[in-house]
Amino acid sequence: MYDPKNIFARILRGEIPCDKVYEDDFVLAFRDIAPKAPVHILVIPKGAYSDLIDFSTHASGAEIEGFFRAVSKIAAEQGIVGDGFRSIANTGDHGGQEVPHFHLHLLGGAPIGPMVS
Ligand code: AMP
């Protein structure tokens, strides 16, 4: 069940600010408030999806395409495509997901280190 009171839903509704880097019909992208890399962007769909499985199961084809097309644009705009970056979708309790609105972390700008430490 999607919780409309989660912090990313509140950002989408404009109730609290974010450091926006990109927006289109399908996604909003903003800087993580506690960055773990020189570039740390969160990309979120505008639709109400609680996690990766909810999004990949229930989003329309247009929403899924729009999301991933936007990811490539954002990564290019942030200058992290050439040297590479890490994308992470923490999912559920074991995945360490803190905010229950699907989001993809894009981490780059320096070597990110071991995948899990
Ligand atoms: P996750 O553990 O994958 O759910 O990651 C949630 C991320 O959201 C964390 O990296 C937080 O630092 C980040 N975060 C929480 N609140 C905000 C906020 N208001 N603006 C930007 N990033 C946030």
Side-chain angles (χ1 to χ4, degrees), residues 44-103:
I44 70 173
K46 288 195 168 175
Y49 301 103
S50 58
D51 62 18
L52 172 65
I53 296 304
D54 188 19
F55 182 70
S56 57
T57 302
H58 298 115
S60 68
E63 288 174 298
I64 292 171
E65 176 173 358
F67 184 85
F68 285 102
R69 299 281 187 210
V71 166
S72 67
K73 283 186 206 166
I74 294 159
E77 285 177 7
Q78 293 297 317
I80 57 175
V81 173
D83 287 330
F85 62 97
R86 182 163 299 151
S87 51
I88 300 172
N90 294 322
T91 305
D93 288 344
H94 284 194
Q97 183 177 2
E98 294 171 2
V99 179
H101 181 110
F102 172 50
H103 52 282

